[in-house]
Amino acid sequence: DLKAFERRLTEYIACLQPATGRWRTILIVVSVCTATGAWNWLIDPETQKVSFFTSLWNHPFFTISCITLIGLFFAGIHKRVVAPSIIAARCRTVLAEYNMSCDDTGKLILKPRPHVQ
């Protein structure tokens, strides 16, 4: 039973890895775009002279990338990026009751039995 559980857990975590990689790539790209747009927005001398909304209107790249980043966080990208770690941590919590643990790939770790005196 332990081998079947370990095999299924490693299979499930491995199955999450490609999607997690794509979400990480999307998050990195949008974050870099937002940072680049923010830099351009901040160094623009017109930003201080016009209203906030006008300055955002003058910098559509920053505005769109910032809205996209906020939308991604509301959609739960922060959970999708670390999904395998969440699954492994929850399994560790449950397995601790049985004197076991698992690594980040889902391999079971059997701990020595505690000695009762």
Side-chain angles (χ1 to χ4, degrees):
D1 287 341
L2 284 176
K3 286 293 182 190
F5 175 75
E6 180 181 47
R7 198 175 8 218
R8 180 67 181 129
L9 183 60
T10 55
E11 175 187 318
Y12 186 71
I13 290 176
C15 181
L16 287 175
Q17 292 298 339
T20 301
R22 284 191 297 270
W23 284 115
R24 285 181 182 157
T25 304
I26 290 169
L27 182 62
I28 289 169
V29 168
V30 173
S31 297
V32 168
C33 289
T34 303
T36 305
W39 176 254
N40 290 331
W41 181 59
L42 289 172
I43 65 169
D44 185 12
E46 291 294 315
T47 301
Q48 296 176 354
K49 298 174 186 172
V50 296
S51 70
F52 176 71
F53 291 111
T54 305
S55 69
L56 288 178
W57 185 259
N58 292 338
H59 297 276
F61 180 73
F62 169 66
T63 306
I64 291 169
S65 61
C66 191
I67 290 170
T68 304
L69 185 64
I70 291 168
L72 286 172
F73 274 100
F74 277 126
I77 194 169
H78 56 289
K79 292 178 185 172
R80 292 179 180 156
V81 165
V82 294
S85 301
I86 293 171
I87 299 294
R90 289 180 181 171
C91 285
R92 281 187 205 102
T93 303
V94 172
L95 290 171
E97 295 181 22
Y98 300 100
N99 210 28
M100 292 188 285
S101 185
C102 67
D103 62 7
D104 288 335
T105 63
K107 298 282 185 189
L108 290 179
I109 300 168
L110 301 175
K111 296 180 180 177
R113 294 183 184 199
H115 296 284
V116 179
Q117 293 183 9

